[in-house]
Amino acid sequence: MTIKAAEGTAPLATRPRRRRVPPELSIFLVLVGIALVYEILGWIFIGQSFLLNSQRLTIMILQVSVIGIIAVGVTQVIITGGIDLSSGSVVGMTAMIATSFAQSSTWGRAVFPSLTDLPAVVPIMIGLLIGSAAGLVNGALIAYTKIPPFIATLGMFVSARGVAKWYTKGQPVSGITEQFHFIGTKAWPVVVFLVVALIFHIALRYTRYGKFTYAIGANPQAARVSGINIEAHLVKVYVIAGLLAGLAGIVTAARAETAQASMGVGYELDAIAATVIGGTSLTGGVGRITGTVIGTVILGVMTSGFTFLRIDAYYQEIVKGVIIIAAVVIDVYRQKKRTKH
């Protein structure tokens, strides 16, 4: 017995499958659209090109690279169904502590006069350890005490900023060595961002770590039944997010040649915005590092475009908030569409 195909359709057995368009393609087209709008507005109102100014584009890429490093960690957290509000404060804390071990003996007000001129690897490792420790606290609280991620990371948000201010009684830390400063020079922040993105793109897509991360975000109960140690894996994810926030703090301090307790203010929101714009679902289980990279660049293009058009900073914050809400609304619509099918 054969099933007659409906008129105008191919037989069921031979009907070609629709090719799924990669979600990153639509996000990339949004990026191109935004850039072209700024290009047109630039010629109309400023009489200059937005895209053909290499200096402006270089500054933009350098600025978003730090947000991108954080966003790679935040993406993994959100895929598990969590959130990390502490990354900006962890940037400030790690910047202060790492820089205090990167000071030159020629600087007269070293935090630790007997620990100057250390090899750059020492402050880098200290910064990464501090960031990882903050992530470990976040992960342990969320996994083992069942505190909601919002509350646990909000507590770290306040505590880490307090540590950054207390560490040198609010005084900036300057006088870093040339070795340490090198990390923030030229295109090195961008290189660090792209290497980090590549590593965790591979980890999420091709390793058991990635499969477990998606499984927990999609259905925690099913993940537990399938034998995944959810608590241990959540701790691992938050430690990685903390480590990457620590790395971002190191790069920020190396670029600025100084560290201040106020460093990283608002970075956590920018990282979340870049992640959501890049297609990661706040409900968990969906997201890609490639999308986050494009989302980070979109954020950078928007900020640079506003500055280019001489639009006041507070309008930038308003528009950024509207875009985050729009991205979440689109995500909710996608989720409803998936459940129907």
Side-chain angles (χ1 to χ4, degrees):
M1 180 179 173
T2 58
I3 301 174
K4 188 177 179 181
E7 190 176 347
T9 64
L12 294 177
T14 60
R15 190 183 304 166
R17 289 184 180 180
R18 289 184 182 179
R19 285 189 177 182
R20 287 188 62 187
V21 178
E24 290 85 353
L25 179 59
S26 59
I27 303 166
F28 179 74
L29 291 176
V30 170
L31 169 62
V32 172
I34 292 172
L36 289 177
V37 167
Y38 280 132
E39 180 70 12
I40 294 167
L41 293 177
W43 284 114
I44 293 172
F45 295 107
I46 310 294
Q48 294 179 15
S49 172
F50 174 71
L51 294 173
L52 299 180
N53 188 317
S54 59
Q55 185 179 7
R56 180 184 301 110
L57 295 178
T58 301
I59 292 170
M60 180 197 76
I61 295 297
L62 285 170
Q63 287 175 337
V64 301
S65 58
V66 171
I67 299 299
I69 294 168
I70 300 169
V72 170
V74 169
T75 299
Q76 296 171 70
V77 167
I78 294 179
I79 288 173
T80 65
I83 197 76
D84 188 358
L85 301 178
S86 67
S87 50
S89 296
V90 173
V91 166
M93 179 175 67
T94 54
M96 292 292 285
I97 296 173
T99 306
S100 69
F101 290 94
Q103 290 182 293
S104 170
S105 57
T106 58
W107 186 254
R109 293 175 292 168
V111 177
F112 303 111
S114 60
L115 294 174
T116 54
D117 293 327
L118 295 173
V121 69
V122 175
I124 290 172
M125 292 305 299
I126 289 172
L128 295 178
L129 284 171
I130 294 297
S132 300
L136 178 62
V137 172
N138 282 338
L141 286 173
I142 293 162
Y144 296 108
T145 69
K146 308 305 178 185
I147 294 175
F150 180 90
I151 301 300
T153 59
L154 181 62
M156 182 57 69
F157 166 89
V158 177
S159 299
R161 188 65 65 188
V163 170
K165 294 175 181 176
W166 160 83
Y167 190 69
T168 59
K169 304 297 185 288
Q171 297 300 311
V173 183
S174 304
I176 63 174
T177 62
E178 284 300 318
Q179 267 192 347
F180 187 75
H181 173 52
F182 179 77
I183 307 163
T185 58
K186 298 180 181 178
W188 282 111
V190 181
V191 172
V192 172
F193 168 40
L194 293 178
V195 169
V196 165
L198 178 61
I199 289 170
F200 286 101
H201 169 72
I202 293 170
L204 282 178
R205 191 157 187 186
Y206 300 107
T207 69
R208 198 165 66 163
Y209 167 82
K211 291 176 183 176
F212 286 4
T213 303
Y214 285 109
I216 291 169
N219 191 327
Q221 190 58 38
R224 190 181 297 280
V225 170
S226 66
I228 297 173
N229 187 333
I230 292 177
E231 288 75 20
H233 192 80
L234 283 177
V235 170
K236 194 182 298 182
V237 170
Y238 279 92
V239 166
I240 289 171
L243 182 142
L244 293 179
L247 178 60
I250 292 165
V251 173
T252 302
R255 274 194 69 203
E257 298 185 71
T258 186
Q260 299 182 14
S262 60
M263 277 181 165
V265 171
Y267 282 16
E268 64 282 337
L269 298 181
D270 286 343
I272 293 169
T275 302
V276 173
I277 291 169
T280 300
S281 173
L282 286 171
T283 57
V286 176
R288 292 188 185 185
I289 298 298
T290 46
T292 296
V293 171
I294 299 171
T296 302
V297 177
I298 288 175
L299 209 60
V301 168
M302 284 172 47
T303 304
S304 182
F306 275 120
T307 305
F308 170 64
L309 295 173
R310 300 184 180 92
I311 297 173
D312 291 329
Y314 46 80
Y315 288 123
Q316 298 181 27
E317 300 301 322
I318 293 170
V319 173
K320 196 183 294 181
V322 169
I323 287 175
I324 293 171
I325 293 170
V328 173
V329 169
I330 292 169
D331 176 53
V332 170
Y333 173 75
R334 281 181 191 152
Q335 294 297 328
K336 285 182 178 178
K337 200 171 179 181
R338 278 197 199 98
T339 54
K340 284 180 181 178
H341 294 289

